[in-house]
Amino acid sequence: MLEHDVVIVGGGLAGCRAALEIKRLNPETSVALIAKTHPIRSHSVAAQGGIAAALKNVDPEDSWEAHAFDTVKGSDYLADQDAVEILTKEAADVIIDLEHLGVLFSRLEDGRIAQRAFGGHSHNRTCYAADKTGHAILHELVNNLRHNGVIIYDEWYVMRLVLEDGEAKGLVMYRIEDGALEIVRAKAVMFATGGYGRVYNTTSNDYACTGDGLAMAAIAGIPLEDMEFVQFHPTGLYPVGVLISEAVRGEGAYLINSDGKRFMEDYAPSRMELAPRDITSRAITRELRAGRGVNLDGSAGGPFIYLDLRHLGREKIMSRIPFCWEEAHRLLGIDAVNEPMPVRPTIHYCMGGIPVNTDGRVRASAESLTEGFFSAGECSCVSVHGGNRLGSNSLLECVVYGRRTGRTIAEYVKNRKLPSFDAQSYLTEAQEQMKQLLNQAGTLRINQVRQEFQDCMTEYCGVFRSQEVMEAGLLKLQEIKAKYEQIYLDDKHPAWNTELIEALELRSIMVVGEMILTSALNRQESRGSHAREDFSDRDDERFLQHTLAYYSPAGIELNYMPVVINRFEPKERKY
Ligand SMILES: Cc1cc2nc3c(=O)[nH]c(=O)nc-3n(C[C@H](O)[C@H](O)[C@H](O)COP(=O)(O)OP(=O)(O)OC[C@H]3O[C@@H](n4cnc5c(N)ncnc54)[C@H](O)[C@@H]3O)c2cc1C
């Protein structure tokens, strides 16, 4: 059995920032960081547009209060306002700290950090490194982990959380290189496992975003918060779904329908293309439904609309958003200097997740905490994004709450002993599970079942939802779930068995999908990204509260938790 003071699952921004903080505060602590990819290949590396902070470099009128208000309004008033206050107040400090770590931000003429406009933000406050911000930050963080003696287990797949008597005690993990199973115990376990874009069939997320941490926590008995809030990013490149950053609109690009019209004037006249993502994604979906989408031959009635950059000019495109130009060129052969890009909404971000307090401690229920268990980043829900996240607030959340959670853990493990549990029984169960998967005499390929599941989620729980459709979706989903028992694996070898990993990931996808759909069915209102055709208004009386969903193989139980409102009273949300 392996032993560490702290084990962190996840090598993205949140996990790395937490690990670094623990080592800074207490270099003697044994901190292990585990990731199923190499840390540098975590989805954080793909973040493009930037990270928000009221630095006032471009806009002296900005303030943390304005940032907090924009965030709460963007969330459709579901964000916890104490958590938002921390996020926005600590923002400037974490940016300066990143810069001291070596992150190369883009600059203004006078040398200060540059800041651009972003959707839903009332001031220019998004700091960036061209359109490769995640890359710039993650590389420096991972470098700093090594300097600080964090032990890295890369390409290990964590398959189970050991949680007994309300206490997280360790993990069961699998070394992808040779198929070895290991049990690790620790005084503190942290999940920073990122999002779940792959629950759907079209997403901006990478292949590893399968919601494993969410599923493992749920299976262990931890509730998941606000899972119905799934962010669609308005501009996924058609047909692949790859992201074209909001930075492109931040730099001035237009959204155009088949009539050549900037249709956002009908939906958010004051913010136009820079309205929040939920509003913009719905606007595009409405345009497509009304037959004002475009086809590949340029005719009307098609599946996408245009993102038009042509008026920005080559120099601006190549200096501020070169990566987006490159993506469209590489994937579709489009030169965005001269041609508009075909785009449509794509699954992008998970607002809900493992419920935590503002110190990163995982909740066991609305009133109680779990011992030894911590979480930060996209897999957690603190909740700073509520019903809809503003662009460039997620990287910020990872860094602010990664750092805070690191601090909490550094203190928490000081006087704690390693927990005890029966490691052998966990090992035997894991061996059995693997054997069962390898020897299953099914007739279905993993890919077939996964595709069916992803199509089901996309069709029955998309941008617009209704009771009838979601109920049908849940029935279908149960049928597809049953097919898990009928999959078979071609590869029986222990080394680099990616098929086996995909089988484990498929289980995560299925648990998370069911949590999303069930939570969505029960929220009978429209708020943020959750748009019900049968309940088109926001209903603060019944639903100004967080959903807590408890998983069990027999079914999902729902409970609700109050929202912290201490600064901004809920108002109608208009842009
Ligand atoms: C294309 C794209 C562009 C984006 N651009 C921006 C932006 O400009 N600004 C912004 O604020 N946000 C942006 N976002 C969102 C933001 O990047 C993410 O929310 C954030 O980076 C998530 O970081 P994280 O540390 O929580 O998780 P991730 O970076 O996703 O890392 C998750 C880690 O967990 C590990 N892991 C998961 N499951 C297991 C397992 N079972 N066993 C072992 N390890 C596991 C993975 O290997 C990985 O290391 C973007 C997202 C995408 C997809």
Side-chain angles (χ1 to χ4, degrees), residues 10-11 13-14 36-37 42-44 48-50 158 212 378 392 394-395:
L13 247 56
K36 65 178 176 179
T37 51
S42 304
H43 188 60
S44 292
Q48 301 176 357
V158 175
D212 300 341
E378 188 168 340
S392 71
S394 169
L395 294 182

Side-chain angles (χ1 to χ4, degrees), residues 255 262-266 268-276 280:
L255 292 171
R262 286 178 69 190
F263 55 85
M264 284 308 293
E265 71 185 39
D266 296 338
S270 75
R271 299 288 302 165
M272 293 296 284
E273 281 83 359
L274 288 176
T280 313

Side-chain angles (χ1 to χ4, degrees), residues 49 74 90 92 183 370 421 436:
E90 292 188 10
I183 308 293
T370 313
F421 60 91
Q436 155 84 20

Side-chain angles (χ1 to χ4, degrees), residues 196 200 226-232 282 289 347 349 351 387 457-471 515-521 523 525-536:
Y196 59 55
Y200 285 81
D226 291 342
M227 290 298 284
E228 59 273 40
F229 295 99
V230 177
Q231 179 160 80
F232 289 79
R282 278 195 290 277
R289 282 183 174 186
I347 295 287
Y349 185 82
M351 264 78 69
M457 287 301 295
T458 308
E459 186 176 343
Y460 295 94
C461 201
V463 172
F464 290 104
R465 302 161 174 189
S466 73
Q467 173 138 352
E468 202 186 330
V469 172
M470 285 191 287
E471 276 173 352
M515 294 290 258
I516 294 171
L517 198 39
T518 310
S519 304
L521 186 58
R523 186 174 282 275
E525 65 156 355
S526 290
R527 180 188 300 275
S529 67
H530 178 66
R532 293 276 303 242
E533 290 182 293
D534 44 355
F535 296 94
S536 54

